[in-house]
Amino acid sequence: QVQLVESGGGLVQAGGSLRLSCVPSGRILSINRMGWYRQAPGKQLELVAGITSGSMTNYADSVKGRFTISRSNAGNTVYLQMNSLKPEETGVYYCNADITLSWGRMSDSWGQGIQVTVSA
């Protein structure tokens, strides 16, 4: 029912920047938390950055100071600004949303994933 549409990935050289976008659609009462996860080759899925409905954020230690997660004031779009990218940050990035569909009804939604490739 809820769709998360991701965009902004692609190929970038080491030291470059990308901005990922995640646009939710469907009938949503509220979004409690959104985040970006990364699946790197040979690695488990890990949280890169998250943001709550109160705009509190958290980041993986490896990206602090370089990545910024933000949320649009109008609508539920979430962005991940990635600066000074490193080759080891290559992977598939997934948008995730913990949402309230209606009063007392919760759901955990995932995007299809978007490829980010950082070349050396």
Side-chain angles (χ1 to χ4, degrees):
Q1 300 174 74
V2 175
Q3 301 284 335
L4 302 179
V5 180
E6 302 142 323
S7 63
L11 176 65
V12 66
Q13 294 182 7
S17 298
L18 288 172
R19 189 179 74 158
L20 305 183
S21 299
C22 179
V23 182
S25 64
R27 200 195 321 117
I28 300 170
L29 184 62
S30 64
I31 297 180
N32 308 307
R33 180 188 178 276
M34 294 187 69
W36 287 95
Y37 291 75
R38 178 175 62 231
Q39 178 75 69
K43 294 277 291 181
Q44 288 184 298
L45 191 70
E46 66 173 322
L47 176 67
V48 178
I51 187 168
T52 70
S53 61
S55 296
M56 297 186 67
T57 60
N58 68 292
Y59 299 90
D61 288 341
S62 60
V63 308
K64 287 181 179 178
R66 296 186 295 114
F67 290 12
T68 303
I69 188 169
S70 61
R71 194 168 184 168
S72 63
N73 292 328
N76 295 312
T77 301
V78 166
Y79 306 96
L80 182 66
Q81 179 67 46
M82 304 185 292
N83 296 327
S84 302
L85 281 159
K86 303 175 181 179
E88 56 264 37
E89 290 163 343
T90 290
V92 179
Y93 286 69
Y94 296 90
C95 180
N96 169 254
D98 176 29
I99 62 175
T100 300
L101 301 175
S102 61
W103 292 278
R105 190 184 299 270
M106 309 294 293
S107 183
D108 188 39
S109 299
W110 291 86
Q112 293 185 6
I114 188 165
Q115 178 70 41
V116 171
T117 302
V118 185
S119 64

